[in-house]
Amino acid sequence: MLNNARLNLLVIDDDQLYAERLVGLLSSYYDKVNLGFLDDQEELVKALRHQWDVLVFGRAYDMSFTEVVAIVQEHEIDLPIIGLMSDELASQGRNADGLPAVLNGTMVKAILAEKDTQVVMAICLLHANLTSRQHLKSLHHVLLEAEQRANILIKNSKSAVAYLDQGIHIFANDPYLELFGFENSNDIIGVPVIDMIAGGDNVKAFKQFLSNFNKGSRTQVEFMFESLRPNGTTFAAKLQLASATLEGAPVTQVIIQQNNANSAEVAERLAAAERQDSLTGLSNRRGFEERLEQLYQRAVQDKLSSALLYIQLDNIGKISSSLGLQGIDATIKQVGYVLEELITDGHISRFSDTAFTVLVEDLTTQMLIALAEQILAVIGKLYIEVDTRTTNTTASIGIVKIEPNGTEPKILLERAIESISRIKTESPNQGDAYHLYDPNEHASSDDTALAESLNNAISHNGFELLYQPIYDIDADRSDFFEVYLRLPLNDADNTVLTPDNFMAVARVHNLREKIDRWLLINACKQLSEVRKLHPQARIIVSLTSGSMVDKKLPNIASQLINALGGATGALTLQFNEQDVVNYLTVAKLQFAALKQAGCQVSIHNFGTTAKSIEVAGFVQPDMVRLARTYVNSLNNADELDTVKTLIARVKALHSNVLIPYIEEAAIMSASWSVGARYLQGYYLEEPSKTMTVTVEQQ
C-alpha cells in the first residue's frame, strides 16, 4: 500500500459493478479510493468541476472516447485517461501484437476491459505520473518566481551585471552594455569575456583567475584589470564573480565596477545610435515611438491635432524571391529617400523591415488624403535599379488621426496596422491603396456586443466550421481538408462573420486562444467521425499567434492526435508567415514540439515577407501555402518563373507547397506545371459544412 495515498477515480461506464470491482482491487494500493461513476455527457461536464486523478472510459450513453478527450481538453484539465475496450472492438484500439495503440503518461488506449491486472496497473502508473507532473510544476513555479525576482533586480540594478557560460557572454543588463559600448544584448551574446581585457599580462592573469573559480576556488572572487571596449578605448575596472543560475542552468555572474567619468559621453553616443536605422539613416522604431508619445501628449495638453501614416510596402516577398536581400535593401533605401524628399515637414521613420511611419501635424482630413495619394503615386512610379535589373513596388497606407481626447499611442498604432489588413482584404489589388480609420464607423459595430457573441459562441458551440478539399497530386486523392471558422449572427440579414471580422476584438478581450481551442477540438471531432469510413482523411487548421506562443499547444495536439488513433499527419496546424517572423525563435521551438507530438505544421500567406525562404529553413515546416499574389502571377508568363523558383527552393527544404485560390481554368492549368504538391480553390470545389471524400486512393 502507498503511504497515506488517496485516489480520486472517475469511471464512465454503464456497469457500476465493474467500477466497484476496480475500487476493491485498488484498495490494496490506496488508503482510500473516491469513486465517481456516470454514463452520460451532462453528468461528465458537472463532474469535471471537481478534482480527479484518473478517468477510466468504457461505454457511455451518448459519448465516444474521442468526445470524452475533447471535453477534457475544453476544460483545460490535466487528467490522465484510460480507454477500455471489449473483445469485439479490440482491433480498433490495439496494435498487431494486441497491445494498446496509445501508451504514454497521459493516455492509455486501449486495454481490454476484462484484463483487471492491466487496468489496475495503468491506473496506478498514470496516477503516479500525474503526481510527479504536479510536483514538478510546483517546483518549476517556485524556481521561476525566484529567477524572475533575481532577473528583475539585475535588470533594474545600476551595477553592470552579466552572465557567462564557459567564459562566453549569454546575458548582460543595460548598465553593462552601456559600459562596454554595445547597442543591445544580441550584440554581446557569444562574445568571450577575455575580449574585454586589455594587455597580455592582464589576459593571462584573468584566465588563471577564471580557471580557479570554475574549479570551485572561492578564495579570490575579485579581479582588478584594464578593461577594453570594442572601439579600442580602455578604463580601469574591478570584476567580481559569483555562481548563479539562468533558466535553471548553472552560469557565472559577473559584476563590474569602474570610474564613471566617461559615462555621460557613452550614454549620449548610445542614445543617438539607438534611435537611428542603419540602412536608411531615418529614425527607427524606438525614435518613432518617442515622437508619437510626444505628439499624443501635445494633443492631450495643448489640444493640437496630428496624424500617423503607416506605410507598408506590398510586394516585398516577390522582390525577395527574384532579387534577394540586395533587391530588398535597394527598395527600402529608395523608398526612404523619396519619402524624405516628399515630406519636408514631418517625422519619417523606418518602423520595421518593410514598413515606414510618417507623423505630421496640423493637416485637415482632405490634406491627409491628398498626401497619401501623392505618396502612393510617387512610390508606384519608382524604378529601382539592382545591378543590371530593375524592379518596382507599391504601398498600402493606414491613416490615423491623433486628436485631443483620443486613444493612447499603442491603440493608435494598432488601428493603423488594422487599416493595412483591411486594405489587403478589400482592395482589388490587395494593396496600392489607403484607408483612413474612422472611429465612428467602428463604433457602430459595437465591439462589446461582438465580444459577448464570441464568448457565447465558445460556451454554446455557436461557431460554424466549413471544410474545403485539397487535391493531393502525388496521391491522386482529395481527402485532405482545410477548416474555416465562421460566426453566424442572428440578424435579419443572416450575417456570417469571418475571422477577419472578429479576431481584432477577440485579441482585445483575450479570446483568441479560446477560439483556437474550440476550432481545434471541434474540427478533430468531425475528423474522428469521417475517419471511421475514410481512415486516411486529414485536416489543416489555421491558428492565431496566441496559440503559436502557447506552451500547452503541443500537449493539446498530442492528446487529440492520440484520440484520433495516433496517426502522424492526421492533423496539420497552420500559422501566418508574419506571425512566424514576429516570434521566430518561439516558432522554431513550437514547430519542433508539435512535430514531436505527431502533428504536422504549415505556414500560410507564404512569400510575403523579406526572408521567406530563410524563415522556412529555420522553422522547417512540413508545408507552405502560397500567398494570393503568387497565384495571380501564374497568369503572367513573365512572372511564372519567379513562382517556379520559389516552389523549387521550398521543396529543397523538404517542404510541400500548396497553391490556393485556384478560381479559373487558366490558373488551374498553370498550377500543374510549377511543381506544387497540393491544389485548392473554388475551381476545384467550394467549402461546405461537411467533409465529403469524393476520391479514394487508387
Side-chain angles (χ1 to χ4, degrees):
M1 178 180 289
L2 303 174
N3 292 331
N4 300 317
R6 178 190 180 105
L7 173 68
N8 296 315
L9 178 67
L10 181 60
V11 177
I12 301 175
D13 199 71
D14 57 2
D15 184 357
Q16 187 167 356
L17 292 177
Y18 177 77
E20 292 175 352
R21 186 167 80 251
L22 285 181
V23 171
L25 294 172
L26 288 164
S27 63
S28 300
Y29 304 99
Y30 294 94
D31 291 332
K32 183 175 182 179
V33 179
N34 178 28
L35 174 65
F37 180 81
L38 54 93
D39 72 342
D40 68 51
Q41 182 171 328
E42 184 176 353
E43 290 180 357
L44 173 60
V45 173
K46 292 179 181 178
L48 289 179
R49 299 171 187 168
H50 304 286
Q51 181 69 41
W52 301 101
D53 299 318
V54 180
L55 188 156
V56 177
F57 176 84
R59 290 175 296 186
Y61 171 69
D62 59 353
M63 288 182 293
S64 66
F65 181 76
T66 302
E67 289 170 334
V68 169
V69 173
I71 291 170
V72 171
Q73 285 292 342
E74 284 176 340
H75 286 75
E76 301 184 19
I77 300 171
D78 184 6
L79 176 59
I81 301 174
I82 297 173
L84 303 180
M85 303 196 84
S86 59
D87 281 327
E88 60 267 28
L89 297 176
S91 61
Q92 297 181 18
R94 299 171 69 81
N95 62 26
D97 296 317
L99 298 173
V102 178
L103 180 63
N104 57 46
T106 60
M107 183 183 295
V108 177
K109 176 190 176 185
I111 301 177
L112 293 175
E114 65 270 25
K115 298 290 185 179
D116 293 343
T117 302
Q118 294 181 10
V119 176
V120 169
M121 290 178 63
I123 292 172
C124 292
L125 292 174
L126 286 181
H127 182 212
N129 191 289
L130 174 67
T131 303
S132 297
R133 288 201 304 275
Q134 291 171 340
H135 288 167
L136 284 173
K137 183 178 180 181
S138 177
L139 292 173
H140 177 74
H141 181 68
V142 171
L143 177 61
L144 183 62
E145 286 188 336
E147 286 194 348
Q148 285 177 341
R149 289 194 297 270
N151 289 336
I152 290 172
L153 290 172
I154 289 171
K155 288 179 180 178
N156 294 316
S157 172
K158 295 181 180 179
S159 300
V161 183
Y163 287 149
L164 307 178
D165 184 12
Q166 302 296 319
I168 305 297
H169 286 91
I170 58 175
F171 169 83
N173 67 359
D174 290 340
Y176 194 99
L177 297 173
E178 293 173 4
L179 186 61
F180 288 97
F182 289 91
E183 291 187 7
N184 56 61
S185 58
N186 290 332
D187 293 339
I188 201 172
I189 292 175
V191 176
V193 70
I194 292 292
D195 290 357
M196 297 178 175
I197 297 177
D201 291 338
N202 266 334
V203 171
K204 183 178 180 181
F206 180 77
K207 285 183 177 179
Q208 185 61 45
F209 167 71
L210 185 60
S211 175
N212 291 338
F213 184 89
N214 288 336
K215 290 177 181 178
S217 173
R218 298 296 182 266
T219 57
Q220 184 182 3
V221 294
E222 293 186 354
F223 183 79
M224 304 297 296
F225 68 109
E226 188 77 3
S227 188
L228 176 66
R229 296 188 179 97
N231 63 5
T233 61
T234 62
F235 61 93
K238 179 175 72 173
L239 178 147
Q240 297 174 317
L241 296 182
S243 296
T245 61
L246 182 64
E247 296 181 354
V251 295
T252 302
Q253 184 186 81
V254 177
I255 302 176
I256 293 181
Q257 300 173 355
Q258 62 116 34
N259 187 329
N260 292 322
N262 297 324
S263 59
E265 177 269 330
V266 171
E268 182 179 354
R269 177 166 53 83
L270 288 174
E274 287 172 353
R275 290 159 179 79
Q276 186 178 50
D277 175 56
S278 59
L279 179 63
T280 63
L282 297 171
S283 173
N284 61 13
R285 178 168 181 168
R286 179 168 179 176
F288 157 75
E289 289 174 343
E290 291 180 357
R291 180 65 173 169
L292 177 61
E293 180 64 33
Q294 292 171 7
L295 289 182
Y296 172 72
Q297 294 300 331
R298 289 185 62 184
V300 172
Q301 297 171 8
D302 302 332
K303 308 302 180 184
L304 296 176
S305 297
S306 51
L308 160 64
L309 283 75
Y310 185 93
I311 305 169
Q312 174 73 58
L313 301 186
D314 292 326
N315 63 333
I316 288 296
K318 293 177 68 175
I319 294 174
S320 175
S321 297
S322 57
L323 298 174
L325 185 59
Q326 184 180 7
I328 296 171
D329 286 349
T331 302
I332 296 297
K333 289 172 67 174
Q334 188 66 19
V335 171
Y337 173 76
V338 298
L339 288 176
E340 281 190 294
E341 289 287 308
L342 181 63
I343 304 167
T344 57
D345 190 15
H347 184 272
I348 307 168
S349 303
R350 184 187 179 194
F351 181 81
S352 66
D353 282 350
T354 59
F356 295 85
T357 53
V358 176
L359 295 169
V360 291
E361 300 181 63
D362 300 326
L363 296 184
T364 64
T365 299
Q366 290 75 17
M367 295 167 69
L368 286 171
I369 291 174
L371 176 60
E373 290 175 341
Q374 189 178 12
I375 293 172
L376 291 177
V378 170
I379 292 177
K381 293 177 182 178
L382 280 178
Y383 288 96
I384 302 158
E385 301 294 332
V386 184
D387 289 336
T388 60
R389 302 178 65 182
T390 302
T391 189
N392 64 327
T393 189
T394 57
S396 301
I397 304 178
I399 310 171
V400 176
K401 291 183 178 180
I402 309 170
E403 296 182 308
N405 303 317
T407 188
E408 61 186 82
K410 178 182 177 182
I411 303 300
L412 291 171
L413 181 59
E414 288 181 356
R415 289 178 174 179
I417 296 174
E418 286 173 15
S419 296
I420 298 296
S421 299
R422 180 164 177 170
I423 291 170
K424 299 295 185 183
T425 302
E426 298 180 357
S427 170
N429 299 320
Q430 291 190 306
D432 195 19
Y434 68 85
H435 175 74
L436 175 64
Y437 187 95
D438 182 0
N440 292 330
E441 175 186 337
H442 290 262
S444 64
S445 64
D446 193 349
D447 286 354
T448 302
L450 179 54
E452 291 177 4
S453 297
L454 291 172
N455 270 310
N456 287 333
I458 295 168
S459 302
H460 302 98
N461 293 323
F463 291 107
E464 282 186 354
L465 297 180
L466 299 180
Y467 308 92
Q468 185 174 35
I470 298 169
Y471 178 64
D472 184 343
I473 295 176
D474 290 357
D476 187 23
R477 56 192 306 127
S478 295
D479 50 4
F480 188 15
F481 298 86
E482 182 160 8
V483 184
Y484 300 107
L485 183 69
R486 298 292 183 262
L487 176 63
L489 297 180
N490 296 322
D491 294 339
D493 57 356
N494 295 319
T495 301
V496 177
L497 301 185
T498 67
D500 288 339
N501 304 129
F502 59 73
M503 274 304 179
V505 173
R507 182 180 66 248
V508 172
H509 292 270
N510 299 317
L511 296 174
R512 290 187 303 168
E513 292 85 347
K514 292 182 179 179
I515 294 173
D516 283 351
R517 180 75 64 89
W518 187 97
L519 166 62
L520 189 54
I521 289 172
N522 284 276
C524 286
K525 281 183 182 179
Q526 179 65 21
L527 179 63
S528 177
E529 293 300 314
V530 173
R531 284 172 65 90
K532 291 178 180 178
L533 293 177
H534 307 283
Q536 296 192 51
R538 50 198 179 115
I539 56 173
I540 181 169
V541 181
S542 294
L543 301 181
T544 66
S545 60
S547 290
M548 187 167 65
V549 301
D550 184 359
K551 293 182 179 180
K552 297 178 182 177
L553 182 62
N555 183 57
I556 294 168
S558 176
Q559 290 274 342
L560 292 173
I561 290 170
N562 285 340
L564 290 169
T568 299
L571 174 63
T572 300
L573 298 184
Q574 185 168 243
F575 302 94
N576 185 281
E577 183 179 66
Q578 189 61 58
D579 290 337
V580 174
V581 171
N582 291 343
Y583 302 96
L584 191 56
T585 302
V586 174
K588 179 180 177 63
L589 296 174
Q590 190 75 298
F591 278 31
L594 288 170
K595 288 185 178 183
Q596 185 68 30
C599 179
Q600 294 194 337
V601 287
S602 173
I603 299 176
H604 70 84
N605 207 29
F606 183 80
T608 56
T609 63
K611 298 180 180 180
S612 299
I613 294 297
E614 289 84 350
V615 168
F618 187 70
V619 301
Q620 298 181 337
D622 298 286
M623 186 174 80
V624 303
R625 186 178 188 269
L626 294 186
R628 183 186 286 270
T629 53
Y630 289 96
V631 182
N632 294 339
S633 298
L634 294 175
N635 262 335
N636 189 329
D638 295 334
E639 298 184 12
L640 189 60
D641 286 340
T642 298
V643 180
K644 288 182 177 179
T645 301
L646 178 66
I647 292 175
R649 295 180 69 187
V650 172
K651 292 173 69 176
L653 300 173
H654 306 290
S655 296
N656 292 310
V657 178
L658 165 64
I659 298 181
Y661 309 116
I662 299 175
E663 297 171 359
E664 56 185 76
I667 296 293
M668 181 67 188
S669 177
S671 298
W672 284 91
S673 65
V674 293
R677 175 173 177 177
Y678 299 108
L679 305 179
Q680 175 194 32
Y682 276 58
Y683 184 81
L684 286 83
E685 193 166 345
E686 297 183 9
S688 66
K689 293 184 179 181
T690 59
M691 291 187 216
T692 304
V693 178
T694 56
V695 178
E696 296 290 347
Q697 187 173 14
Q698 301 298 314

